């Protein structure tokens, strides 16, 4: 793991003060390329719903969203809101961990031996006041460009297009899937990888979707993720990488390399099924994708509603 961290490091590549990591690969030309892919005007939300019927089971105090009404139609009908001339309304609040459903992992989310992205000391980056350097708010204007779907589940999975738990997706799987789809993956792309795990959870129940066994990227993909110079990658699984992890005495080792060393933006629990059906029907696996995080100051992750447009 240490060797991979050293080999695939981007420390200093964009200067000592960098806050964006691999999003630096996503430039104006790449956005124009992505926008030019819109032909039919059809759009897809790639987000799960945020509600109490979600995948979380309490691990690391992560819970599903709690939605509470502050004012309702009943309050308005009873005229107890204090507004003149029959004016009434409703209002609400939501309480949730920022990574309880479809989300981005920020650059301050994972450390390696006490070191954060770009070689900074973890204790100086993320404090009780939040991420003082690479807060997710810095990424909010940038995540829009050419999206690519790699439906590995459809190419290498079962009849439903689903991979089994513990299936390690290698660079060869990714490249062969891209070839099967007739799509190129390269510098500045926003890559989505469908395994079919979310589809199975919806059919069978959440079970151990959050943290349990799942297909996902192999640790050996680190070189591919670095070499392709993609801007970001997202999957339909809870943890992005294959679970159980591929070697003993490690927890999410690919995270430990690609976030603090490579500066790669990772998305998890994205809903890629509707998009995948459309891509299979029209044969177009590249599209315009916008996926801005909420600009929550100092946050190390954020909910997101990614929208793909074809």
């Amino acid at each position: 793991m240490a060797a991979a961290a050293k080999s695939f490091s981007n420390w200093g590549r964009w200067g000592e003060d960098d806050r964006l990591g691999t999003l630096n690969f996503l430039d104006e030309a790449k956005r124009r390329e992505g926008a030019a892919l819109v032909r039919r005007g059809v759009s897809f939300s790639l987000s799960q719903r945020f509600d109490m019927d979600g995948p979380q089971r309490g691990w690391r105090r992560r819970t599903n969203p709690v939605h509470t009404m502050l004012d309702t139609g009943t309050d308005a009908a009873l005229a107890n809101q204090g507004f003149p001339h029959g004016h009434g309304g409703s209002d609400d609040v939501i309480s949730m961990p920022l990574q309880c459903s479809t989300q981005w992992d920020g650059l301050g989310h994972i450390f390696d031996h006490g070191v954060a992205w770009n070689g900074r000391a973890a204790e100086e980056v993320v404090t009780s006041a939040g991420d003082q350097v690479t807060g997710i708010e810095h990424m909010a204007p940038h995540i829009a460009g050419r999206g690519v779907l790699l439906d590995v589940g459809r190419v290498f999975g079962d009849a439903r297009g689903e991979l089994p738990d513990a299936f390690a997706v290698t660079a060869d799987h990714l490249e062969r899937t891209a070839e099967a789809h007739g799509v190129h993956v390269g510098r500045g792309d926003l890559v989505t990888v469908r395994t079919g795990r979310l589809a199975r959870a919806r059919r069978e129940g959440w079970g151990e979707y959050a943290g349990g066994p799942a297909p996902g990227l192999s640790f050996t993909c680190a070189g591919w993720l670095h070499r392709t110079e993609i801007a970001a990658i997202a999957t339909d699984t809870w943890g992005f990488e294959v679970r159980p992890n591929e070697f003993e005495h490690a927890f999410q080792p690919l995270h430990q390399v690609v976030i603090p060393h490579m500066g790669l933006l990772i998305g998890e629990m994205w809903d890629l099924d509707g998009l995948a059906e459309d891509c299979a029907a029209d044969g177009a696996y590249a599209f315009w994708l916008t996926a801005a995080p909420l600009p929550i100051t100092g946050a190390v992750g954020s909910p997101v509603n990614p929208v793909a447009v074809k």
Side-chain angles (χ1 to χ4, degrees), residues 149 151 154 160 194 272-282:
L149 173 67
D151 192 349
R154 184 176 296 272
R160 290 191 173 102
R194 181 186 172 277
L272 304 173
D273 291 337
L275 174 64
E277 288 296 324
D278 190 81
C279 290
D282 75 356

Side-chain angles (χ1 to χ4, degrees), residues 7-88:
S7 296
F8 308 129
S9 173
N10 283 324
W11 288 2
R13 186 168 186 169
W14 299 288
E16 295 182 358
D17 299 328
D18 181 67
R19 296 174 172 177
L20 298 179
T22 55
L23 281 181
N24 284 284
F25 291 133
L26 206 176
D27 57 17
E28 289 85 353
K30 178 58 67 169
R31 291 196 184 92
R32 290 195 299 270
E33 181 183 346
L37 294 170
V38 177
R39 294 287 188 268
R40 295 155 52 210
V42 62
S43 60
F44 301 86
S45 169
L46 309 185
S47 177
Q48 298 186 38
R49 292 184 179 181
F50 287 77
D51 56 36
M52 292 185 68
D53 184 24
Q56 297 301 328
R57 300 180 299 161
W59 181 78
R60 294 192 70 187
R61 294 174 288 181
R62 288 183 182 175
T63 60
N64 293 312
V66 177
H67 179 222
T68 305
M69 298 306 301
L70 300 178
D71 275 316
T72 70
T74 301
D75 298 317
L78 294 175
N80 62 9
Q81 294 181 319
F83 300 124
H85 305 296
H87 179 96

Side-chain angles (χ1 to χ4, degrees), residues 113-255:
H113 292 83
V115 178
W117 159 241
N118 224 19
R120 305 178 178 105
E123 70 272 16
E124 297 175 2
V125 174
V126 182
T127 71
S128 59
D131 188 334
Q132 305 299 295
V133 181
T134 50
I136 202 82
E137 72 274 14
H138 298 293
M139 295 182 167
H142 300 282
I143 312 175
R146 180 179 184 261
V148 175
L149 173 67
L150 299 181
D151 192 349
V152 183
R154 184 176 296 272
V155 175
F156 290 98
D158 61 17
R160 290 191 173 102
E162 299 170 11
L163 300 174
D165 291 337
F167 186 102
V169 177
T170 66
D172 182 64
H173 290 125
L174 296 173
E175 291 173 353
R176 289 167 62 189
T177 298
E179 182 179 1
H181 294 340
V183 69
H184 171 73
V185 175
R187 184 184 179 101
D189 284 337
L190 302 167
V191 178
T192 60
V193 178
R194 181 186 172 277
T195 70
R197 181 65 182 91
L198 179 58
R200 176 155 53 92
R202 285 183 166 150
R203 187 176 65 254
E204 300 177 352
W206 287 118
E208 294 188 338
Y209 175 82
L217 267 66
S218 167
F219 184 81
T220 62
C221 286
W224 184 89
L225 295 169
H226 185 260
R227 181 176 66 256
T228 54
E229 297 185 336
I230 60 173
I233 188 168
T235 70
D236 59 351
T237 66
W238 169 87
F240 166 66
E241 54 191 287
V242 63
R243 293 182 59 80
N245 297 138
E246 294 164 287
F247 43 94
E248 295 181 0
H249 310 301
F251 176 75
Q252 300 296 79
L254 190 56
H255 277 68

